[in-house]
């Protein structure tokens, strides 16, 4: 990995090179998530509180690694916040209501309310905002249209399609992500993208962001020009950082992205990427659901969660009795659960009308309250399968030739060559006998067990890196 970095404002981009270095194993910091922040902290000097803003269809759970690393470098837990937009998926046409989806204005207003809550809780005048993908749209709109410039000291936009995914009258017409339509046209009006009083930075990929491509392959229009280039995520006049080889999600969640955002906010490079282990981490989060095919971040009541410790090689449960069991109330909270930082766990989620979802995870080295749980639906390709196992990488895509990844010793179908374009892979198995299926991503290994699909069970191996 090259140590050479260059930066400027409106000049040559800052670059960091990703070679053969493996990803770090994560640790956990405790964030404050959507809803009224828990307690009022005394006012204090130092770097601003940080609000993390997730992308399209996502939740605050994706920021767990960033939160851990900020804490490892001196941030207190009560200074780190992560919003959960109620309806995180964008409308097909930003101007037309669509059930269980949000407009750009909806997200801007929701972010403004959350920032006000954070300022009240921390007794600070300004916050720093860090957004992934669509989260950056909400940040830019808040700063330019929602009065946010008075409440924000720093903003970091990671993989945000600032020029658009497309600039086209015919591809994605009316979309929030189309630079030819009102939302982005309004944000991009003017000679630059600067906001007076706010230190702005954009983090982008070189050529590996699926949503900053000259060809329309990843927006359903292969072979057609999108009207944008590889630099579609840059901010005019601001500091722009290029992380070479990283993909659309990694430019927010990779350790190099953390280093860039931390230095931008604090004015100094992080002292460490590694995080001290807590022997007995406290884990918590909420259960959310699906409405008309779209994930929401609305708390789900009446869901049952069980946690089992499993064998680190086979995925077998070490006991028939769950270490933790809870049925959620209206707040959707499934914990707290006090675990061990050297243990592997299986999280089982039972929700009416949804498959029973078995999620297997690597050890949690520290505490977190953004361990959110969602059901995993079956898809058409699962029809007729005896058992279905999915490997999932929420914080990045699978890069053929860049990463080492297998499920049950093979690369699942549907993972494309070239620009990393998918974060999941799935395989079907016989219903019986039940057996071990191991998922591998670089230095991370997650063991699982098969469960019968005919009885409504589905398995997810979720990577933390």
């Amino acid at each position: 990995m090259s140590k050479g970095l260059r930066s400027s404002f409106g000049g040559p981009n800052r670059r960091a090179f990703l070679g053969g270095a493996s990803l770090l194993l994560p640790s956990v910091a405790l964030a404050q998530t959507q809803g009224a922040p828990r307690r009022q902290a005394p006012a204090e000097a130092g770097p601003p509180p940080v609000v993390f803003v997730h992308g399209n269809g996502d939740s605050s759970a994706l920021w767990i690694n960033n939160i851990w690393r900020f804490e490892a470098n001196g941030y207190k837990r009560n200074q780190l916040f992560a919003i959960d937009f109620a309806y995180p998926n964008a409308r097909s046409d930003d101007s037309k209501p669509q059930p269980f989806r949000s407009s750009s204005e909806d997200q801007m207003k929701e972010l403004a309310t959350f920032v006000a809550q954070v300022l009240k809780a921390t007794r600070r005048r300004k916050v720093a905002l860090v957004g992934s993908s669509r989260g950056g749209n909400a940040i830019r709109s808040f700063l330019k249209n929602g009065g946010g410039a008075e409440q924000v000291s720093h903003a970091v936009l990671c993989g945000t399609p600032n020029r658009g995914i497309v600039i086209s009258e015919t591809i994605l017409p009316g979309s929030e992500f189309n630079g030819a339509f009102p939302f982005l046209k309004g944000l991009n009006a003017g000679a630059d993208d600067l906001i007076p009083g706010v230190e702005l930075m954009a983090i982008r990929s070189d050529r590996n962001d699926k949503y900053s491509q000259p060809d329309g392959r990843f927006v359903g229009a292969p072979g057609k020009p999108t009207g944008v280039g590889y630099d579609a995520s840059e901010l005019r006049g601001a500091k722009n950082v290029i992380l070479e080889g990283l993909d659309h999600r990694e430019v927010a969640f990779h350790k190099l992205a953390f280093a860039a955002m931390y230095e931008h906010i604090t004015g100094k490079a992080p002292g460490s990427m590694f995080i001290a282990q807590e022997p007995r981490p406290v884990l918590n989060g909420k259960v959310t659901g699906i409405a008309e095919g779209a994930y929401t971040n609305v708390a789900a009541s009446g869901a049952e969660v069980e946690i089992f410790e499993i064998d680190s090689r086979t995925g077998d449960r070490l006991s028939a009795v769950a270490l933790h069991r809870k049925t959620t109330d209206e707040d959707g909270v499934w914990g707290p659960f006090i675990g061990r930082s050297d243990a592997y766990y299986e999280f089982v989620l039972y929700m009416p009308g949804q498959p029973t979802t078995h999620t297997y995870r690597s050890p949690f080295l520290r505490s977190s309250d953004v361990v959110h749980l969602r059901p995993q639906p079956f898809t058409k390709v699962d029809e007729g399968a005896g058992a279905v196992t999915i490997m999932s990488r929420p914080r990045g895509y699978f890069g053929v030739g860049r990463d080492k990844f297998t499920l049950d010793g093979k690369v699942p179908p549907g993972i494309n060559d070239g620009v990393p374009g998918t974060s999941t892979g799935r395989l079907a198995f016989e219903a019986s006998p039940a057996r071990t299926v191991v998922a591998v991503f670089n230095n991370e290994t997650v063991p699982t067990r098969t469960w019968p699909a005919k009885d409504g069970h589905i398995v997810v191996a979720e990577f933390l890196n």
Side-chain angles (χ1 to χ4, degrees):
M1 183 182 301
S2 170
K3 301 293 185 182
L5 303 177
R6 293 184 291 123
S7 66
S8 72
F9 290 83
N13 294 299
R14 178 173 179 177
R15 291 178 178 264
F17 296 89
L18 180 66
S22 61
L23 302 182
L24 296 177
L25 286 176
S27 304
V28 183
L30 193 64
Q32 312 292 324
T33 54
Q34 173 87 31
R38 296 193 177 105
R39 58 183 178 278
Q40 193 160 351
E44 56 186 52
V50 180
V51 175
F52 297 98
V53 187
H54 65 76
N56 196 47
D58 293 333
S59 77
S60 62
L62 270 69
W63 294 108
I64 191 168
N65 291 359
N66 304 67
I67 293 166
W68 295 339
R69 291 183 173 125
F70 267 88
E71 184 190 9
N73 285 276
Y75 259 82
K76 295 183 178 179
R77 293 183 180 184
N78 62 6
Q79 299 294 302
L80 299 169
F81 301 82
I83 189 171
D84 277 309
F85 290 114
Y87 300 107
N89 287 278
R91 296 174 176 177
S92 300
D93 185 324
D94 194 41
S95 66
K96 298 179 180 179
Q98 191 172 1
F100 307 109
R101 294 175 181 264
S102 57
S103 68
S104 56
E105 185 176 6
D106 293 336
Q107 291 223 317
M108 184 268 285
K109 290 179 177 179
E110 206 168 339
L111 178 60
T113 298
F114 189 76
V115 168
Q117 293 174 338
V118 169
L119 291 173
K120 181 177 180 181
T122 59
R123 299 175 59 192
R124 301 291 290 273
R125 291 190 310 108
K126 294 188 176 185
V127 301
L129 299 178
V130 178
S132 168
S133 192
R134 189 190 184 201
N137 282 357
I139 291 173
R140 289 186 73 196
S141 183
F142 176 50
L143 294 177
K144 188 167 185 176
N145 306 321
E150 299 299 317
Q151 300 172 307
V152 177
S153 60
H154 301 76
V156 183
L157 277 58
C158 309
T160 295
N162 293 308
R163 306 278 74 78
I165 294 173
V166 296
I167 302 176
S168 170
E169 296 293 334
T170 58
I171 304 173
L172 303 180
S175 170
E176 173 185 326
F177 307 112
N178 191 332
F181 285 84
F183 175 68
L184 282 180
K185 285 182 74 173
L187 288 184
N188 293 330
D192 59 45
D193 299 317
L194 299 177
I195 302 292
V198 181
E199 296 290 334
L200 280 173
M201 183 172 79
I203 306 176
R204 74 168 179 92
S205 177
D206 50 352
R207 291 170 169 250
N208 275 333
D209 188 330
K210 65 185 285 189
Y211 294 123
S212 294
Q213 296 292 318
D215 183 87
R217 172 187 180 188
F218 291 105
V219 293
K224 295 183 179 180
T226 61
V228 302
Y230 301 120
D231 61 351
S233 294
E234 289 197 354
L235 289 169
R236 296 169 298 167
K239 181 187 295 184
N240 290 287
V241 175
I242 299 175
L243 300 182
E244 296 200 356
L246 299 192
D247 63 45
H248 177 69
R249 289 180 177 269
E250 289 174 332
V251 295
F253 306 117
H254 191 273
K255 62 184 179 183
L256 293 179
F258 157 74
M261 63 183 65
Y262 179 88
E263 183 172 355
H264 180 69
I265 293 169
T266 67
K268 61 182 180 181
S272 175
M273 299 291 190
F274 296 93
I275 303 166
Q277 192 168 328
E278 288 180 349
R280 301 288 286 173
V282 180
L283 304 178
N284 206 347
K286 67 180 181 181
V287 176
T288 60
I290 303 174
E292 295 191 13
Y295 276 117
T296 81
N297 289 320
V298 177
S301 63
E304 184 176 331
V305 174
E306 294 181 330
I307 301 175
F308 297 87
E309 185 178 350
I310 60 172
D311 185 280
S312 63
R313 296 166 301 167
T314 66
D316 286 312
R317 294 176 180 177
L318 299 185
S319 171
V321 179
L323 299 176
H324 174 81
R325 178 183 288 111
K326 182 178 179 180
T327 301
T328 60
D329 295 324
E330 290 184 358
D331 60 7
V333 173
W334 60 259
F337 165 66
I338 301 174
R340 292 200 337 270
S341 57
D342 61 349
Y344 286 73
Y345 293 109
E346 173 195 353
F347 291 73
V348 186
L349 173 60
Y350 306 89
M351 290 184 70
Q354 298 293 340
T356 298
T357 303
H358 302 255
T359 303
Y360 294 78
R361 298 172 180 257
S362 303
F364 292 89
L365 301 186
R366 290 180 65 86
S367 302
S368 176
D369 67 354
V370 293
V371 186
H372 300 330
L373 303 177
R374 289 171 163 179
Q376 176 65 52
F378 288 110
T379 67
K380 188 173 181 60
V381 300
D382 300 324
E383 292 179 2
V388 177
T389 300
I390 301 166
M391 64 178 189
S392 175
R393 190 182 174 224
R395 296 163 192 86
Y397 297 112
F398 296 111
V400 176
R402 182 192 65 176
D403 305 312
K404 172 190 173 185
F405 58 91
T406 57
L407 182 62
D408 199 39
K410 58 183 72 72
V411 175
I415 297 178
N416 62 282
D417 291 330
V419 174
T422 185
S423 62
T424 62
R426 63 206 302 140
L427 289 176
F429 300 92
E430 296 294 329
S432 63
R435 69 177 184 88
T436 298
V437 174
V438 176
V440 175
F441 177 76
N442 292 339
N443 292 333
E444 189 174 356
T445 300
V446 179
T448 74
R449 296 288 291 177
T450 57
W451 289 82
K454 67 179 179 62
D455 296 331
H457 295 267
I458 195 165
V459 172
V460 180
E462 184 173 312
F463 298 114
L464 285 169
N465 285 303

